[in-house]
Amino acid sequence: MLDTLITSKTRIKLLLKFFLNSKTESYLRNLESEFGESSNAIRVELNRFEEAGLLNSSSSGNKKIFKANTNHPLFNDIHNILLKFVGLDQVIDQVTSQIGDLHSAFITGQFATGIDSQVIELLLIGDNIDRSYVAKLVDRAESMISRKISFSIFSSAESSKYLNNAPHLLIWKRDEQ
């Protein structure tokens, strides 16, 4: 769907990279190797995003580091469109709404670093969560979004050890509901 609205595959990859997880930072050569595309094509799109105010940049040595401008008026809208594009909004609704004492939910793995993937890694933090019920909800969500969902469940006490060592993206927190 998004690829019919935005015809540049490089632009879509950059949107996913920077706007799924606002903490993601990267530089041109890293994006070149990650996307497998020419640096010129990536540079053109980065410059467009920066000129539009969607990306901020800073220097670190001889590298120009790019990051999403979370203060841009369209940031939240773009972020929400991308969540819908990859189906994360449906996963969130299906999995988090009925599973019990859920404290928070995170996306980990490739999506947390802004890389589109056919597998969504979901981390659920809570106590007394029924794993078999979560598995049923995940099966239902997988059929809705046509992507595989891998999930892990940690208690509140176990979660900090894992989250400190892995890239993650908060997608739901009980206090926000």
Side-chain angles (χ1 to χ4, degrees):
M1 181 233 10
L2 192 60
D3 51 347
T4 58
L5 295 173
I6 302 173
T7 56
S8 168
K9 292 187 186 311
T10 304
R11 193 172 301 150
I12 291 172
K13 288 177 185 178
L14 288 170
L15 285 170
L16 289 167
K17 177 76 176 173
F18 292 110
F19 287 87
L20 271 179
N21 186 349
S22 63
K23 295 178 183 173
T24 299
E25 295 181 342
S26 196
Y27 57 95
L28 179 62
R29 296 288 179 215
N30 187 48
L31 293 168
E32 179 184 21
S33 64
E34 184 178 311
F35 295 169
E37 296 184 22
S38 75
S39 60
N40 194 44
I42 297 168
R43 182 183 296 112
V44 167
E45 296 299 338
L46 287 171
N47 289 340
R48 285 182 181 157
F49 283 144
E50 189 175 25
E51 287 172 17
L54 292 168
L55 291 179
N56 292 326
S57 66
S58 61
S59 294
S60 176
N62 62 351
K63 296 176 185 170
K64 187 174 183 180
I65 308 294
F66 292 92
K67 185 175 181 174
N69 178 3
T70 56
N71 294 322
H72 192 281
L74 295 176
F75 174 82
N76 288 331
D77 294 325
I78 293 170
H79 177 74
N80 289 332
I81 287 169
L82 293 173
L83 287 176
K84 286 180 184 351
F85 169 67
V86 298
L88 292 177
D89 62 325
Q90 293 177 33
V91 172
I92 295 164
D93 289 343
Q94 284 291 314
V95 176
T96 62
S97 63
Q98 307 169 7
I99 62 172
D101 192 15
L102 181 69
H103 298 277
S104 53
F106 296 88
I107 296 294
T108 61
Q110 289 186 315
F111 270 110
T113 61
I115 299 171
D116 192 8
S117 172
Q118 287 302 307
V119 178
I120 297 173
E121 296 178 45
L122 185 62
L123 174 62
L124 304 173
I125 309 296
D127 301 304
N128 303 318
I129 295 174
D130 183 352
R131 288 181 184 274
S132 61
Y133 187 62
V134 171
K136 288 179 192 176
L137 292 173
V138 164
D139 285 342
R140 196 176 321 151
E142 285 176 338
S143 65
M144 290 171 59
I145 65 169
S146 301
R147 291 180 193 256
K148 179 80 176 127
I149 302 169
S150 166
F151 71 92
S152 301
I153 299 173
F154 288 101
S155 69
S156 301
E158 297 171 318
S159 66
S160 61
K161 178 174 57 174
Y162 179 81
L163 291 174
N164 289 336
N165 298 322
H168 58 278
L169 168 63
L170 176 66
I171 57 171
W172 185 88
K173 188 168 177 71
R174 182 176 26 181
D175 298 338
E176 296 173 354
Q177 296 297 309

